[in-house]
Amino acid sequence: MVFVAPSILSADFSCLKEDIRRVEEGGADFIHVDVMDGRFVPNITVGVPVVKSLKSITSLPLDVHLMIEEPDKYINAFAEAGAHVITVHQEACTHLHRTVTNIKELGVKAGVALNPATPVELLDDILEEVDLVLIMLVNPGFGGQSMITSALKKVMRLKRIKKEKRLPFLIEVDGGVKVENAHQVVEAGAEIIVSGSGIFNTKNPADAVRTLKSLG
């Protein structure tokens, strides 16, 4: 089974409620929220108030991806705002185990993300603790980028590790995924597909979601 998490980074914020309704109609499983601080990545997006607002307009779980420095300072606030999953970057966490533990103690699912140049092996000692691992298929910071296909090798390695160790975490991918290339990420081992422009910039976002889900 493949889960689909439309990223509101590519939605029209002037009619965000309507855009979310469209992907709900298509059977979306999560709403993906990209939080950027202009420091860890070269862009600034949304914060806690938007997550809180989303909670009031959708019943879908909110998949909050923190592309920020010092994420520990903000975990409580995002959990209280209604995040179902909070994903932090391995590259941004000095004490990753502590951060993951703090997230889970708040009753929220914990994810860890890796940038394209970060090896999967750095997560060996935390994989038993996390609920999902997010493999970035682009360098984070902007929507609409083309997929770095070489990063799919990391998805395949992670799938192999998961099977060998019989671990329950889900494998999520984000970056450049569209209907035209999504079969590649599914074949590599992706279980959650994040897509922004590949869904919201199409003529029919609901149909895009349905097509992505059919790949599983």
Side-chain angles (χ1 to χ4, degrees):
M1 178 181 291
V2 173
F3 300 102
V4 176
S7 169
I8 62 167
L9 183 64
S10 297
D12 184 344
F13 272 68
S14 69
C15 55
L16 185 56
K17 185 174 182 178
E18 289 77 8
D19 271 1
I20 288 177
R21 289 286 178 267
R22 292 185 182 99
V23 297
E24 287 177 332
E25 290 170 6
D29 301 285
F30 301 88
I31 295 296
H32 189 81
V33 186
D34 290 305
V35 178
M36 305 181 191
D37 63 357
R39 297 172 62 203
F40 182 69
V41 294
N43 200 2
I44 297 174
T45 55
V46 302
V48 172
V50 171
V51 172
K52 188 174 182 179
S53 296
L54 287 169
K55 193 66 178 177
S56 69
I57 63 176
T58 182
S59 60
L60 291 179
L62 301 180
D63 178 21
V64 178
H65 178 193
L66 300 184
M67 288 175 269
I68 63 176
E69 293 186 4
E70 301 180 295
D72 297 84
K73 292 183 177 180
Y74 306 98
I75 286 169
N76 278 38
F78 280 106
E80 291 174 3
H84 178 78
V85 181
I86 294 177
T87 298
V88 296
H89 270 260
Q90 185 274 341
E91 302 89 352
C93 295
T94 304
H95 304 289
L96 183 57
H97 186 276
R98 179 187 298 164
T99 302
V100 168
T101 299
N102 289 344
I103 294 171
K104 298 182 77 168
E105 286 178 347
L106 293 169
V108 178
K109 301 290 185 182
V112 176
L114 293 178
N115 285 336
T118 305
V120 167
E121 288 73 21
L122 290 180
L123 297 184
D124 281 351
D125 294 327
I126 196 69
L127 288 176
E128 293 183 6
E129 308 296 329
V130 300
D131 298 292
L132 69 84
V133 176
L134 170 56
I135 300 296
M136 294 300 299
L137 302 179
V138 297
N139 290 297
F142 299 95
Q145 299 183 65
S146 297
M147 181 193 301
I148 301 171
T149 55
S150 60
L152 290 174
K153 295 176 183 177
K154 291 166 57 178
V155 179
M156 291 185 276
R157 286 201 296 273
L158 191 60
K159 178 183 179 181
R160 184 167 59 250
I161 293 169
K162 175 179 175 174
K163 182 178 181 180
E164 290 173 353
K165 296 187 176 182
R166 299 182 180 180
L167 296 174
F169 65 84
L170 293 173
I171 301 173
E172 185 174 43
V173 295
D174 184 3
V177 182
K178 304 178 186 300
V179 167
E180 295 78 14
N181 62 15
H183 66 281
Q184 294 178 266
V185 302
V186 174
E187 290 169 2
E191 296 163 299
I192 305 175
I193 295 174
V194 177
S195 181
S197 60
I199 291 175
F200 288 111
N201 290 1
T202 63
K203 291 182 178 179
N204 192 322
D207 281 348
V209 172
R210 292 188 189 100
T211 301
L212 292 173
K213 288 181 66 67
S214 72
L215 297 174

